[in-house]
Amino acid sequence: MATVDTNTPHDALDLVNSQRKKGVEFVVMAILILCSLVAVLVTVGIVLSLIFEAYRFFERIPMTEFLFGTQWSPQTALRADQVAAEGAFGAVPLITGTLLISFIAMCVATPLGLMSAIYLSEYASKRFRDFVKPALEILAGIPTVVYGFFAALTVAPLLRSGGESVGLNVSSESALAAGLIMGMMIIPLISSLSDDVINSVPQAMRDASLGLGATHSETIRKVVLPSAIPGVAGALLLAASRAIGETMIVVMAAGLAANLTANPLEAVTTITAQIVALLTGDQEFDSAKTLSAFALGLLLFVVTLCLNIIALRIVRKYQEQYD
Amino acid sequence: MSKTAIITAKDVDVFYGDKQALDKIALDIPEYKVTSLIGPSGCGKSTFLRCINRMNDLVPIARVEGDIRIAGQDIYAPEVDVVALRAQVGMVFQKPNPFPKSIYENVAYGPKIHGLAKGKTEMDELVQWALEKAGLWNEVKDRLDQPGTGLSGGQQQRLCIARTIAVKPKVVLMDEPCSALDPIATAIIEELIDELRQNFTIVIVTHSMQQAARVSQRTAFFHLGTLVETGPTKNIFTSPEDERTQNYITGRIG
Amino acid sequence: MTDLISPSSQLKGRKSAETRFQWYGRGAIFVSLLFLVVMVGSILTKGVGAFGTTNVAIEVDLGPDAIDPANPADARFEKIVKDALKTQFPEAKKRKDRRMIYGLLSNDMGFELERFVEANPEAIGGTATVWFRASDDFDAVAKGAVDRSLPEDERRMSDKEIAWIDQLTEQGAVERTFNWSFFTNGDSREPELAGILSALMGSALTLLVCFCISFPVAILAAIYLEEFAPKNRFSDLIEVNINNLAAVPSIVFGLLGLSMFLNTFGMPRSSPLVGGLVLSLMTLPTIIIAARASLRAVPPSIREAALGMGASPVQATFHHVAPLALPGILTGTIVGMAQALGETAPLLMIGMVAFIVDVPDSILEPATALPVQIFLWADAPERAFVEKTSAAIIVLLLFLVTMNIIAILLRRKFEKRF
């Protein structure tokens, strides 16, 4: 074996200095990090501004009254002996109203969205899929103000006259109209998320079931869906969070009457609709009325954030399971 | 004829997370020669190659220990700038990977970032020199502004070689440069490699023993993360000292 | 022997369950798409009328009694038109009837005549036939939107008014033209005069601000997260943050804008600057997520090639990876901008709901945006605003469709590059 002489000197190579501009690159990296911090700053900004303004509200109105009070009338005093003209700030009717409308929306959107997703991912031909998926995406791309307009001007009167003809008294700003339309709005969200989830169920599991002589629908119901359930649950939670936070549809179709009711034919109001009502128009920024909007905003943010975190965690875990 | 080692590796260990990929590699690579690294897949030959220009730095879980010197300088020393290192140690990859830009820009990119050419004419000369060296000039001189991705596979790989040598590195690393090419393109590249050793030290990883025999003067045989045997190519192929080398070249392991 | 051909009764049941199940799926898709068709269809049919307008020819007296030829600008143009109407309909003697004939034309009739005289100074001194814009109620009758079979007290137009309109129509003094003013006017209390130009400009300025902020920030953030960020808890935090931010209700961003930009930083209320800022924070997550996906799609061989020849990571990213990912990033940005264009709720919070007649020409002036204009008009009591609202929605949807088509074409064009 030939030996190699390692001691002969070489032309010196410069491995230390390069043409790169270290200073420039340092600045570039700093800018990059700064930009990705913007997202964090926005969250911090949201939390701080909501907490700060809500704190000022809770200085005037105790938090327990806000969370458990059943009267909401920020405009006028309820009783003569009440302090100044500050109204009642019990958020319970708003919370129940929000939940009622979101519940109706989920009742509409869950079966429709889920069945659409199942059909698209399990049965549909490629051509059918290529046509229907973009069409559903259109539904997702329509601004909510358009849904609100449709709900208020077409669906609500229709429900009202329909109700009259069968002897039901339907409010012209019924929870049902807002809920139905909101349900339509979140169908594409549920169907596209569930579609992803169903597609990530391994083919081997389907093959196993089909190989035992199960029909396709039995395979879907007994094998595919059960293993997709966590992912679907995550999708539904995200959709619910979207419904709770939706604003324009309820502002335009649900009205402002803070009724504590579970009857979908009556008018209810929601957290988001009240925020809009409280903050549009000129406001002095010190009144409890204006500040209460931030307390409602904080409530909304906390609830949707919790839903989102749980949902995203479920979806992530689910994806890891099959990766 | 005295052989001068330009690259010396001592006690090189590489870990990917907990897994050890290379174990105590010691190898000297002579200047202006072609050295081929052979061995069954997964033996660590590519890993070792990527240590020489520190491409392993890009793998977050990779850890390199030991001592690798080029022209006497420790390339893992803290003051070494990987960018300066890679300007001296160029690399040609398994699959031709020209930038989706024009042929000219592909070759001019390296000299541009390293500031090797002053002015347009100097750059034009450098690009022509590199393309001539890579044996591609006559085929592309009329369409330098066309995308490099439009060339055939073999031409793309020669473009990548031109791109690498345009920076005028000391060492050119080649990671199975012909594995994605047909036999005719492979033959052209092998011929090219033989010519390039006049100006460059070449280290080539190959899974083809015939190729190692054809192009290289020295061969190192890797197996399961260790360097089994190294020596002049004809010795390795005609009278290997280690039984594992024997088994490999006769096709019993691989 | 087992029969593989003729199904048992149990199998028949299972087969029909299979068929039923498939029909549920088809039904769900059908209902969703039907809803889409009905909603868009109803808005289209409602809104299409607003793109036309009704004009009425009235002969006006521009004689020396009405207009001083030396000083035409001082003339009382509205009175001239009203007098012309009185001459046209001599039977309208009572005050109420007079008001009705004036109501056939839009409130702008005085200005319209003034513009006519300015453009045709030679008409001064004689009589001239001038086309005036009809009022919204006239317009409704002219396009047949008023049901004449209804009893008089149930419709907006009385028999008398309808008779006058018919009389004018018979004389050939009524024409319908394309309603250009819908695109060239600002908002107005009068439906026949209301246009979307100020809202369109407001939206354009707002989107401009939004784009200028969110595009660079999102790209740079995506580049950092995808190309440079070490895998640690800090990067994880940013990642979780972005995903959550994408799901925060839009109105919360409005509250942030109100409390932070308006009250703390004292930025101008109702301005496209603040609107754009708020919307950019909202679209940031969308663009970042899209940009990261397209950076991830750039093959690693490109990075290796650049790094292998001694490009620094920053050079490799900015010279090679980012340019290749740009089409994908642009697609994501357009989708994000489309989202921002349709967004309403946060703009309500920062006061972009003002009644804006003038077209804003800077990002600091009060402005409104197209979706907010839709919201405002949807609330207006006049029937004719329903039509206007639908027409504004059609314009908004056209913009959104255009943006999405551009995004799709861009994606198609660059999709097969690697």
Side-chain angles (χ1 to χ4, degrees):
Chain A
M1 192 174 151
T3 50
V4 169
D5 171 17
T6 55
N7 296 321
T8 315
H10 294 269
D11 304 339
L13 288 183
D14 184 2
L15 298 183
V16 178
N17 301 306
S18 68
Q19 281 281 318
R20 76 203 267 196
K21 298 178 179 69
K22 284 260 167 65
V24 175
E25 295 199 347
F26 181 77
V27 172
V28 169
M29 281 312 279
I31 293 174
L32 290 183
I33 293 175
L34 217 65
C35 284
S36 52
L37 276 179
V38 168
V40 180
L41 288 180
V42 173
T43 310
V44 172
I46 289 175
V47 171
L48 280 185
S49 59
L50 288 180
I51 287 183
F52 176 69
E53 308 284 0
Y55 177 76
R56 286 171 63 196
F57 172 73
F58 290 128
E59 276 179 341
R60 294 150 205 242
I61 312 288
M63 199 189 280
T64 45
E65 191 192 319
F66 175 72
L67 284 180
F68 303 111
T70 55
Q71 287 288 339
W72 178 267
S73 67
Q75 319 291 341
T76 49
L78 281 181
R79 302 180 304 274
D81 57 339
Q82 219 163 19
V83 192
E86 298 201 339
F89 292 96
V92 171
L94 312 190
I95 297 170
T96 56
T98 305
L99 292 180
L100 176 63
I101 290 182
S102 304
F103 178 73
I104 296 171
M106 292 303 289
C107 286
V108 173
T110 306
L112 288 176
L114 203 53
M115 280 312 291
S116 303
I118 290 173
Y119 189 81
L120 284 176
S121 59
E122 295 283 336
Y123 290 108
S125 65
K126 195 182 170 304
R127 273 183 60 193
F128 186 75
R129 220 179 130 86
D130 284 352
F131 166 73
V132 171
K133 278 205 95 167
L136 285 177
E137 274 165 32
I138 296 178
L139 214 51
I142 293 178
T144 53
V145 69
V146 179
Y147 283 94
F149 175 72
F150 185 66
L153 268 100
T154 310
V155 178
L158 212 67
L159 284 178
R160 194 177 158 77
S161 57
E164 256 167 27
S165 65
V166 294
L168 278 173
N169 186 18
V170 183
S171 159
S172 61
E173 294 182 326
S174 67
L176 189 59
L180 275 178
I181 298 302
M182 195 189 277
M184 290 295 170
M185 185 201 79
I186 54 179
I187 285 176
L189 184 68
I190 294 184
S191 78
S192 77
L193 286 172
S194 315
D195 198 2
D196 294 346
V197 168
I198 291 170
N199 275 330
S200 67
V201 173
Q203 186 60 33
M205 290 178 70
R206 284 186 197 92
D207 292 347
S209 167
L210 292 170
L212 287 171
T215 65
H216 201 158
S217 67
E218 285 163 350
T219 304
I220 294 166
R221 274 177 296 162
K222 306 260 164 61
V223 178
V224 176
L225 279 186
S227 56
I229 268 187
V232 171
L236 293 183
L237 280 182
L238 275 181
S241 141
R242 178 76 180 277
I244 290 172
E246 170 48 39
T247 309
M248 292 321 290
I249 295 178
V250 289
V251 167
M252 297 170 82
L256 296 170
N259 293 327
L260 187 56
T261 173
N263 180 356
L265 304 181
E266 273 184 51
V268 294
T269 188
T270 69
I271 297 175
T272 50
Q274 284 300 323
I275 295 177
V276 170
L278 290 166
L279 290 182
T280 42
D282 289 320
Q283 291 296 337
E284 74 271 49
F285 217 78
D286 278 336
S287 71
K289 184 184 152 193
T290 315
L291 291 174
S292 69
F294 285 91
L296 289 175
L298 184 63
L299 181 65
L300 181 69
F301 179 71
V302 169
V303 170
T304 53
L305 187 71
C306 290
L307 283 176
N308 294 339
I309 289 179
I310 297 170
L312 288 172
R313 192 158 285 179
I314 292 177
V315 171
R316 207 173 179 183
K317 256 217 178 105
Y318 176 77
Q319 278 165 351
E320 278 163 10
Q321 187 187 332
Y322 289 122
D323 268 350
Chain B
M1 188 175 119
S2 105
K3 297 194 186 79
T4 314
I6 182 162
I7 304 170
T8 55
K10 275 193 205 104
D11 290 341
V12 176
D13 292 334
V14 176
F15 301 87
Y16 289 121
D18 300 333
K19 223 186 104 222
Q20 186 161 10
L22 284 181
D23 187 15
K24 298 267 172 292
I25 304 296
L27 181 64
D28 290 340
I29 290 168
E31 199 168 13
Y32 301 128
K33 292 271 183 298
V34 179
T35 303
S36 56
L37 312 180
I38 61 168
S41 48
C43 65
K45 54 192 193 297
S46 285
T47 303
F48 179 70
L49 190 77
R50 283 166 172 261
C51 290
I52 303 175
N53 69 344
R54 289 180 58 177
M55 284 301 268
N56 279 331
D57 289 14
L58 303 176
V59 185
I61 55 165
R63 202 170 81 243
V64 180
E65 285 170 9
D67 183 78
I68 300 177
R69 284 169 191 276
I70 294 181
Q73 290 188 59
D74 179 2
I75 63 167
Y76 282 90
E79 71 272 14
V80 166
D81 186 338
V82 262
V83 168
L85 169 69
R86 289 179 192 149
Q88 299 291 353
V89 185
M91 188 160 192
V92 176
F93 296 85
Q94 197 166 354
K95 259 173 67 186
N97 54 354
F99 299 123
K101 299 186 173 183
S102 74
I103 294 169
Y104 183 92
E105 281 175 85
N106 260 287
V107 182
Y109 178 70
K112 209 180 287 168
I113 56 172
H114 295 301
L116 296 184
K118 290 176 194 70
K120 175 95 175 87
T121 39
E122 221 174 289
M123 182 64 88
D124 288 348
E125 281 164 20
L126 184 53
V127 169
Q128 182 174 350
W129 174 83
L131 285 169
E132 274 170 354
K133 270 271 159 205
L136 197 59
W137 176 251
N138 287 328
E139 292 161 59
V140 301
K141 64 181 173 206
D142 301 323
R143 43 173 175 152
L144 290 175
D145 54 343
Q146 282 175 26
T149 41
L151 298 172
S152 73
Q155 288 174 322
Q156 285 190 15
Q157 196 60 302
R158 276 181 283 153
L159 178 61
C160 292
I161 292 174
R163 181 177 72 182
T164 308
I165 60 180
V167 184
K168 304 211 167 153
K170 272 277 173 210
V171 180
V172 177
L173 308 176
M174 296 187 174
D175 190 358
E176 305 198 22
C178 302
S179 65
L181 305 180
D182 61 67
I184 295 169
T186 302
I188 297 173
I189 301 248
E190 285 179 3
E191 225 170 276
L192 175 61
I193 292 172
D194 201 47
E195 278 167 33
L196 286 175
R197 78 183 160 94
Q198 296 168 0
N199 305 76
F200 308 99
T201 304
I202 294 172
V203 186
I204 177 171
V205 162
T206 174
H207 62 273
S208 147
M209 282 173 288
Q210 290 86 341
Q211 186 171 63
R214 283 192 299 264
V215 301
S216 67
Q217 288 73 51
R218 289 182 69 81
T219 296
F221 173 63
F222 283 70
H223 188 240
L224 297 177
T226 56
L227 176 62
V228 175
E229 186 170 355
T230 174
T233 300
K234 58 177 189 301
N235 294 5
I236 294 276
F237 282 97
T238 52
S239 52
E241 290 171 2
D242 195 287
E243 196 189 341
R244 286 169 292 177
T245 321
Q246 172 90 45
N247 286 343
Y248 181 68
I249 60 174
T250 53
R252 251 172 284 169
I253 55 171
Chain C
M1 215 175 111
T2 323
D3 186 356
L4 295 179
I5 312 292
S6 53
S8 66
S9 64
Q10 186 251 2
L11 197 55
K12 261 184 199 153
R14 286 169 62 197
K15 278 278 177 213
S16 58
E18 170 74 35
T19 317
R20 264 202 313 280
F21 190 75
Q22 289 195 27
W23 278 108
Y24 292 149
R26 290 195 191 100
I29 292 172
F30 178 75
V31 170
S32 314
L33 295 186
L34 181 73
F35 171 78
L36 176 69
V37 170
V38 167
M39 181 165 84
V40 174
S42 95
I43 286 168
L44 280 181
T45 47
K46 268 194 198 125
V48 117
F51 293 110
T53 185
T54 305
N55 298 315
V56 190
I58 304 284
E59 193 170 292
V60 289
D61 174 21
L62 300 176
D65 294 344
I67 296 188
D68 176 6
N71 209 355
D74 278 358
R76 293 171 58 203
F77 292 102
E78 193 167 329
K79 184 169 176 301
I80 300 174
V81 186
K82 285 183 175 170
D83 288 343
L85 283 167
K86 277 188 265 182
T87 332
Q88 180 103 18
F89 301 106
E91 67 273 25
K93 290 260 172 347
K94 280 182 280 181
R95 261 185 139 214
K96 202 175 139 233
D97 290 353
R98 287 266 169 85
R99 247 206 320 273
M100 268 157 64
I101 57 168
Y102 301 156
L104 290 174
L105 300 187
S106 84
N107 275 11
D108 243 11
M109 53 192 170
F111 299 107
E112 281 175 9
L113 181 61
E114 188 173 353
R115 274 200 295 273
F116 173 82
V117 170
E118 269 166 24
N120 308 288
E122 73 281 359
I124 298 173
T127 57
T129 306
V130 181
W131 286 95
F132 291 94
R133 172 165 305 219
S135 70
D136 53 331
D137 291 333
F138 191 147
D139 189 50
V141 175
K143 66 177 94 139
V146 172
D147 186 356
R148 295 177 187 226
S149 62
L150 282 173
E152 189 176 1
D153 54 348
E154 278 182 30
R155 49 183 143 83
R156 293 253 316 164
M157 290 300 249
S158 65
D159 288 342
K160 227 186 246 172
E161 285 169 292
I162 290 179
W164 289 332
I165 292 171
D166 288 344
Q167 184 192 331
L168 282 167
T169 314
E170 272 161 36
Q171 291 167 0
V174 177
E175 63 162 19
R176 283 190 53 79
T177 55
F178 186 76
N179 188 3
W180 287 109
S181 65
F182 183 66
F183 297 97
T184 55
N185 282 7
D187 196 5
S188 166
R189 301 273 182 228
E190 307 297 330
E192 69 271 20
L193 297 174
I196 54 170
L197 184 63
S198 53
L200 272 182
M201 265 318 274
S203 273
L205 290 172
T206 308
L207 278 193
L208 184 74
V209 174
C210 174
F211 176 82
C212 290
I213 295 166
S214 62
F215 184 62
V217 172
I219 288 194
L220 296 177
I223 286 178
Y224 177 73
L225 292 173
E226 205 53 46
E227 302 287 324
F228 298 106
K231 272 254 159 281
N232 58 22
R233 288 182 65 185
F234 174 71
S235 312
D236 251 17
L237 174 81
I238 296 179
E239 177 126 28
V240 170
N241 222 298
I242 289 171
N243 288 336
N244 277 319
L245 219 46
V248 167
S250 61
I251 193 167
V252 172
F253 287 93
L255 290 173
L256 169 73
L258 174 58
S259 147
M260 191 90 104
F261 299 140
L262 296 186
N263 290 346
T264 310
F265 300 154
M267 292 181 182
R269 198 176 147 81
S270 310
S271 65
L273 173 67
V274 179
L277 265 171
V278 169
L279 291 184
S280 70
L281 301 185
M282 256 190 65
T283 48
L284 212 53
T286 314
I287 307 181
I288 291 180
I289 291 169
R292 291 188 64 177
S294 63
L295 285 168
R296 221 173 295 141
V298 175
S301 69
I302 298 290
R303 278 177 204 100
E304 284 193 331
L307 295 172
M309 28 201 327
S312 70
V314 172
Q315 284 171 330
T317 302
F318 283 90
H319 293 168
H320 298 289
V321 179
L324 286 178
L326 199 59
I329 298 176
L330 278 178
T331 310
T333 308
I334 296 173
V335 171
M337 288 295 123
Q339 219 179 61
L341 176 61
E343 197 53 66
T344 321
L347 300 183
L348 301 180
M349 298 291 93
I350 53 147
M352 284 183 83
V353 275
F355 173 71
I356 306 286
V357 179
D358 299 323
V359 178
D361 49 25
S362 98
I363 55 168
L364 299 174
E365 277 176 44
T368 185
L370 196 50
V372 182
Q373 187 75 72
I374 290 168
F375 168 66
L376 286 172
W377 281 352
D379 238 17
E382 287 90 347
R383 277 292 294 165
F385 269 121
V386 172
E387 199 180 79
K388 290 277 164 181
T389 314
S390 307
I393 289 177
I394 294 173
V395 174
L396 178 64
L397 291 182
L398 279 179
F399 272 106
L400 292 177
V401 167
T402 315
M403 288 168 91
N404 281 301
I405 287 178
I406 294 174
I408 290 169
L409 291 181
L410 209 63
R411 196 183 299 161
R412 285 246 173 95
K413 185 159 178 227
F414 291 97
E415 183 160 66
K416 293 182 189 100
R417 275 191 74 157
F418 314 122

